[in-house]
Amino acid sequence: MCGRYSLGVRMVFVRRRMQEQGMPVDEAPEDDEIRETYNFAPGYYGAVYRADTPDHGHDEQSQNGEGESTTEAHQDNTTTTTTTEKTKYKIQKMRWGLIPFWTKRQPDYGSMMRTINCRADSLAENKGMWTSMKRKKRCVVICQGFYEWLKKGPGGKERVPHYTRRKDEGLMYLAGLWDCVQYEGSDEKLYTYAIITTDSNPYLKFLHDRMPVILDPGSDQMRKWLDPHRTTWTKELQSILKPYTGELECYPVSKEVGKVGNDSPDFLVPVNSKENKSNIANFFANASAKKGMTATKEVGGEEVKSESRETVDGEWTEDNAPKPIPQDDELSSKDLKRKLSTGEGPRHESSPPATKRQKSLSPIKDADKEQKHVLPGNRKMRDATRNKTSTSPTKSKSRAKQAAATTANKGSKRITDFFKK
């Protein structure tokens, strides 16, 4: 679940938008550091929002002590405000597919794929690989929306991609966990992350039984989730990982999104929408009318005006498909092919006249450099200027060779005559 999402906007826009939503951003990567794509896949470097804390945190005792005092402080609004002001938050470049800090060597791709998601129910108990991360390395993954494939047909062989986004078309924030690893013999640090999933809400039950945990920007749940002073896992933190109750919009999109590497703003457009370029009804539409339709407006960006795109079922039917050109019912396919090859068959109104069609067959030139033509099968045709028939180029060459051989034989003698002398 949640193996592909969209992030087709620049970091300068993301930072400005988050600050407008009351989320402080003290540090952010440059635009070219984050993969800007409408088809974000595991292994790509994405944008992660978190508190600016040390990579490995403090020892366990100091964490628990700090967590307890902070929990009491959170009951006092004044103390909470003071603590929040001391904490800095940043957007950081990280790779999708969490690798724990204790890993010695780089894992293969299959191992990384197993940690792109973390089930919320696996965090309920204080055991397993996620224990240290859920206490001190919680984060939010920034995106526009996520993809999920609906299984249809016998045995679920047909998979139809669906795109889910916020109803207000704003940025989507997914609860996640992060970690930092440094392999043996390497001086570089690698930051990675995983997206937490939970049970699907009633709206998305038809699509899949699980969905990512979505947090509203500037909400109390997001503030608690990102608070670095909460280093003890509590039922309150666990309760945040629940199905989303806000308004979402989900619709089928182009199957081209299924291939990693494909990238297009059309992936965010309903597949049966008039704005989708893959809709054959719009194939002959004026290209300028569709110019500038990018997914930036899908996020409510300032670059392009936002526009509502509702999914309409049954908009495309086979009745709108181009009709085949009618053929002459009196002619069989075999007779029609034969007559067309000889220039006798019927022609469509848009076809060129028979004379022009014949001229394009096989042009050659004779000794007088006059244009002549040969039909298929070496058939002769009349010369309109001299009332003579043209000769096949193959036969002309054969006759020329015979004449040259005859001439050569007249001036030569047999080799036996040479020794008689």
Side-chain angles (χ1 to χ4, degrees):
M1 174 57 204
C2 195
R4 209 78 64 82
Y5 63 81
S6 171
L7 184 63
V9 290
R10 295 180 299 163
M11 284 300 101
V12 64
F13 166 76
V14 172
R15 182 175 188 173
R16 181 173 67 249
R17 184 58 182 149
M18 293 182 70
Q19 290 173 333
E20 293 172 353
Q21 294 173 326
M23 304 168 66
V25 181
D26 299 291
E27 182 183 338
E30 298 295 330
D31 288 343
D32 57 357
E33 294 184 59
I34 302 297
R35 186 133 186 177
E36 184 180 330
T37 173
Y38 302 98
N39 191 9
F40 199 96
Y44 290 0
Y45 284 87
V48 174
Y49 182 66
R50 71 175 182 94
D52 191 2
T53 56
D55 296 338
H56 294 286
H58 307 289
D59 59 80
E60 198 68 24
Q61 289 184 349
S62 64
Q63 292 171 7
N64 292 336
E66 186 181 1
E68 291 172 0
S69 62
T70 306
T71 301
E72 295 175 359
H74 272 286
Q75 297 174 0
D76 186 343
N77 294 333
T78 305
T79 306
T80 300
T81 303
T82 304
T83 304
T84 304
E85 289 177 352
K86 294 180 181 180
T87 304
K88 292 184 178 182
Y89 292 88
K90 65 180 180 180
I91 302 174
Q92 186 174 353
K93 168 188 174 182
M94 294 189 188
R95 195 172 78 175
W96 190 12
L98 191 141
I99 302 175
F101 70 88
W102 62 78
T103 306
K104 302 300 182 182
R105 286 178 288 274
Q106 181 177 352
D108 56 22
Y109 183 76
S111 300
M112 184 195 69
M113 284 292 293
R114 288 195 289 268
T115 56
I116 63 173
N117 292 156
C118 169
R119 293 176 64 95
D121 50 335
S122 66
L123 303 178
E125 299 181 7
N126 287 325
K127 63 180 182 179
M129 66 169 289
W130 309 106
T131 303
S132 62
M133 302 161 206
K134 71 181 183 181
R135 291 176 180 171
K136 56 188 178 182
K137 296 177 182 177
R138 300 183 298 272
C139 65
V140 165
V141 180
I142 305 169
C143 66
Q144 296 172 256
F146 60 91
Y147 299 97
E148 185 57 53
W149 277 257
L150 176 66
K151 297 181 180 179
K152 298 177 65 177
K157 292 184 178 180
E158 182 183 2
R159 300 173 73 245
V160 181
H162 283 63
Y163 181 67
T164 301
R165 65 182 180 184
R166 292 177 59 93
K167 189 70 173 180
D168 60 9
E169 304 181 27
L171 290 174
M172 184 178 284
Y173 305 100
L174 311 179
L177 300 173
W178 67 275
D179 208 345
C180 177
V181 65
Q182 187 171 346
Y183 301 128
E184 287 183 342
S186 175
D187 296 331
E188 297 182 3
K189 292 181 178 181
L190 176 63
Y191 293 86
T192 59
Y193 65 94
I195 296 174
I196 300 177
T197 63
T198 185
D199 295 333
S200 284
N201 59 17
Y203 180 68
L204 295 179
K205 275 288 185 184
F206 80 99
L207 184 61
H208 201 279
D209 59 351
R210 300 192 67 79
M211 67 178 293
V213 175
I214 303 174
L215 302 177
D216 286 322
S219 64
D220 186 56
Q221 288 78 12
M222 180 175 284
R223 179 180 59 80
K224 292 177 180 179
W225 181 254
L226 294 175
D227 188 353
H229 302 288
R230 292 178 177 265
T231 55
T232 299
W233 189 254
T234 62
K235 292 183 178 179
E236 186 178 20
L237 288 174
Q238 184 71 38
S239 66
I240 295 175
L241 309 178
K242 59 184 179 181
Y244 187 63
T245 57
E247 291 187 324
L248 297 174
E249 186 177 12
C250 179
Y251 47 81
V253 292
S254 171
K255 290 186 178 181
E256 295 297 319
V257 73
K259 184 177 180 181
V260 175
N262 287 348
D263 188 23
S264 171
D266 293 333
F267 292 166
L268 308 190
V269 183
V271 72
N272 58 350
S273 169
K274 291 182 179 180
E275 297 178 17
N276 197 311
K277 294 180 180 180
S278 65
N279 191 330
I280 196 169
N282 297 307
F283 182 78
F284 297 102
N286 189 350
S288 61
K290 298 187 290 181
K291 197 172 184 179
M293 287 186 181
T294 65
T296 306
K297 57 185 173 184
E298 297 296 328
V299 234
E302 299 178 2
E303 292 85 347
V304 183
K305 293 183 180 180
S306 179
E307 187 173 320
S308 177
R309 289 170 173 166
E310 299 294 337
T311 304
V312 181
D313 295 332
E315 182 176 328
W316 166 251
T317 64
E318 294 181 356
D319 295 336
N320 296 329
K323 300 296 188 298
I325 299 176
Q327 300 292 340
D328 192 341
D329 294 334
E330 298 179 358
L331 294 175
S332 65
S333 59
K334 185 175 181 180
D335 293 338
L336 181 62
K337 183 177 180 181
R338 177 181 57 80
K339 291 194 175 185
L340 286 176
S341 64
T342 57
E344 302 174 3
R347 300 192 307 272
H348 191 268
E349 291 182 0
S350 60
S351 302
T355 55
K356 292 184 179 180
R357 292 167 61 196
Q358 292 169 353
K359 286 184 179 181
S360 63
L361 293 177
S362 178
I364 60 173
K365 295 183 179 181
D366 62 1
D368 298 330
K369 300 185 182 298
E370 296 183 84
Q371 186 76 21
K372 299 187 182 300
H373 311 280
V374 178
L375 288 175
N378 295 329
R379 294 177 56 198
K380 298 180 180 180
M381 63 177 291
R382 292 287 182 179
D383 189 327
T385 58
R386 299 187 174 224
N387 198 26
K388 295 180 180 180
T389 56
S390 58
T391 306
S392 167
T394 305
K395 292 184 178 180
S396 297
K397 291 181 180 180
S398 177
R399 292 174 180 175
K401 288 182 179 180
Q402 292 177 0
T406 303
T407 305
N409 289 335
K410 290 181 179 180
S412 62
K413 294 183 178 181
R414 291 182 299 176
I415 192 170
T416 53
D417 296 339
F418 177 77
F419 292 102
K420 290 180 179 180
K421 292 183 180 180

